[in-house]
Amino acid sequence: MIRVAVLGSTGSIGRSALEVIGRHLDRFEVVALVANRSSEDLAVQVRSFKPAKAVLCDDTADSPGGTAGTVWGSGWQALLDVVADPEVDVVVNALVGAAGLEPTLCALEAGHRLALANKESLVAGGQLVVEAAREGGGEIVPIDSEHSAILQCCEGHSSAEVHRVVLTASGGPFRGRTLDDLWHVGPEEALRHPTWDMGAKITIDSATLANKALEVIEAHHLYGLGYDAIDAVIHPQSVIHSFVEFVDGSVLAQLGFPNMELPILYALSYPDRINDAALRTYDPVAASPLTFEEIDHGAFPLFGLGVEAGRRGGCAPAAYNAGNEIAVQAFLEGRVRFPEMADVVNKSLEEVGSDVVRDVKDVFAADHAARDVALEVVRRLSEARAGATS
Ligand SMILES: NC(=O)c1ccc[n+]([C@@H]2O[C@H](COP(=O)([O-])OP(=O)(O)OC[C@H]3O[C@@H](n4cnc5c(N)ncnc54)[C@H](OP(=O)(O)O)[C@@H]3O)[C@@H](O)[C@H]2O)c1
């Protein structure tokens, strides 16, 4: 039995992971579940999977009753204790944001397999995460569908045989809109993703294409590819998840209808494949036509800004990510408009992005400083907006 801890079990990826595990209880055992403060949802999962441990990170959240046999913990240290537990084989990190960095490092230092959905931790921590895996003996297996596709296409090939990867992006709900149009879109419209059903933060990141920039940086660290060897293309159907072009010119792609359960299952079973009738749905006729477009950099500047942050390295990706987290929250709260998210992130990068990374404290310092800069830009923009409407 493979013993699995799911961090962020009440979220979109966490719930999908439990769906997958629930169909394969002959192979996987849920030993720990972690959420932030959704205590009732977590209690329902605990009754169903009966893990040894359950944790609510927010220590002000109420602990539910009626879950005999499970030890409840609360607070951040309780989460880290679950991650470091030698009784765990695989940690699914489905937390959202750079808050996932410490658990990512901890899981890898403990020598576990890290089934990684929380791309922000790899973006912010970059080389430190890769080193933690090397030194601790842990292994990162991506859950992001694009990176899972690359892993699947590269099976049996050395990195020297890979010439280039091309990540696909759906283009989000605003594909085809101009920058001018985007001044008039609100959170409700931005949250209506055309092909994927996901948590709020990644859905907004998909609408701005910041998500694709985070994924370019993620691919750089996961596969050791230079930025010139990582491209992205709009593919509205979200059926092809990535292309891998090999040095002989041959191109492999991995296909499947948009459903995160497939890459989650692969991250748990890798390098094996497990029979799962619930996921065998591919129909080439229903999937057609498959189309591709260039990214519109004018309308979606957060893509280029993010890739540039990746190229700069050091603290720049952490600053980009932190500024973006603040910008997304501010947009969801109606405090900034859609195109202004790029201004918030740009300022964070300008002020914080040149710092060097010696250890994880530098990353946390850059993350905090970038959040402060971003919050100040948000405050100024929302005050200017309030002044203009009064
Ligand atoms: N959704 C997708 O299809 C998808 C696809 C690819 C990659 N990803 C990546 O997967 C990650 C999770 O995305 P999601 O869409 O599943 O997010 P989500 O639906 O918002 O769920 C986030 C989960 O993390 C918990 N959480 C949030 N902040 C936390 C904190 N500070 N401490 C402890 N727990 C915290 C939440 O607990 P509460 O419920 O208690 O708040 C919830 O269980 C993100 O990094 C995203 O980019 C998602």
Side-chain angles (χ1 to χ4, degrees):
M1 287 295 262
I2 296 172
R3 300 163 299 178
V4 185
V6 183
L7 316 183
S9 64
T10 52
S12 163
I13 290 288
R15 281 182 276 115
S16 297
L18 292 181
E19 280 290 320
V20 169
I21 292 170
R23 293 199 295 272
H24 300 283
L25 291 172
D26 54 328
R27 287 171 189 264
F28 304 113
E29 178 191 3
V30 175
V31 292
L33 292 173
V34 178
N36 193 25
R37 51 174 301 110
S38 302
S39 57
E40 286 310 319
D41 290 350
L42 188 60
V44 170
Q45 295 177 341
V46 165
R47 280 181 212 114
S48 173
F49 287 91
K50 303 184 175 37
K53 294 178 187 167
V55 173
L56 286 167
C57 291
D58 183 336
D59 49 21
T60 65
D62 295 332
S63 276
T67 55
T70 296
V71 177
W72 283 77
S74 105
W76 194 248
Q77 188 55 48
L79 173 149
L80 295 179
D81 291 345
V82 158
V83 173
D85 190 340
E87 299 295 309
V88 170
D89 300 308
V90 179
V91 174
V92 175
N93 186 347
L95 302 180
V96 66
L101 176 56
E102 218 180 341
T104 279
L105 292 170
C106 184
L108 294 169
E109 282 159 4
H112 299 320
R113 168 174 295 186
L114 175 68
L116 185 65
N118 176 258
K119 65 192 88 185
E120 296 93 335
S121 56
L122 190 50
V123 168
Q127 201 50 37
L128 297 176
V129 173
V130 174
E131 279 160 20
R134 196 164 45 229
E135 283 165 20
E139 148 187 67
I140 311 171
V141 185
I143 282 182
D144 241 340
S145 57
E146 296 77 0
H147 305 76
S148 175
I150 295 170
L151 182 66
Q152 294 180 54
C153 292
C154 287
E155 272 303 295
H157 298 283
S158 71
S159 55
E161 292 172 88
V162 176
H163 175 62
R164 188 174 69 117
V165 300
V166 183
L167 312 177
T168 58
S170 69
F174 304 134
R175 181 175 62 87
R177 305 272 188 107
T178 65
L179 186 59
D180 281 351
D181 295 337
L182 295 175
W183 283 98
H184 310 291
V185 301
E188 209 180 297
E189 210 183 333
L191 285 170
R192 250 180 267 129
H193 196 278
T195 50
W196 294 100
D197 181 13
M198 310 180 285
K201 195 262 177 180
I202 184 174
T203 305
I204 301 302
D205 285 347
S206 298
T208 61
L209 294 192
N211 182 51
K212 212 45 55 180
L214 297 175
E215 289 180 3
V216 167
I217 300 172
E218 187 184 4
H220 165 77
H221 291 298
L222 281 176
Y223 301 112
L225 293 163
Y227 283 96
D228 288 340
I230 310 170
D231 283 339
V233 68
I234 302 294
H235 168 46
Q237 297 81 20
S238 303
V239 167
I240 293 182
H241 300 302
S242 281
F243 299 95
V244 178
E245 184 180 7
F246 291 90
V247 285
D248 62 359
S250 185
V251 179
L252 296 188
Q254 187 263 338
L255 287 76
F257 284 128
N259 179 348
M260 289 307 296
E261 290 185 19
L262 203 156
I264 290 169
L265 176 62
Y266 193 65
L268 294 173
S269 68
Y270 173 82
D272 300 332
R273 290 190 183 272
I274 292 181
N275 184 4
D276 192 327
L279 295 175
R280 287 200 306 261
T281 59
Y282 188 66
D283 172 353
V285 176
S288 67
L290 300 182
T291 59
F292 305 93
E293 300 163 17
E294 296 286 349
I295 288 175
D296 178 349
H297 291 269
F300 303 101
L302 276 169
F303 174 73
L305 264 181
V307 175
E308 190 44 43
R311 285 180 184 277
R312 276 168 66 183
C315 283
Y320 173 86
N321 178 68
N324 183 54
E325 287 188 31
I326 296 295
V328 169
Q329 191 56 36
F331 173 69
L332 287 170
E333 290 166 0
R335 299 175 68 206
V336 299
R337 295 200 276 176
F338 191 92
E340 288 172 337
M341 283 190 272
D343 300 330
V344 174
V345 177
N346 198 17
K347 191 74 180 158
S348 308
L349 256 181
E350 267 175 22
E351 302 228 346
V352 182
S354 307
D355 298 354
V356 293
V357 175
R358 285 156 304 209
D359 58 31
V360 74
K361 288 196 207 97
D362 292 330
V363 177
F364 289 137
D367 177 277
H368 291 148
R371 280 170 206 270
D372 287 346
V373 172
L375 282 168
E376 179 57 23
V377 181
V378 167
R379 191 187 59 75
R380 275 194 268 114
L381 287 168
S382 57
E383 275 178 13
R385 190 173 173 185
T389 51
S390 64

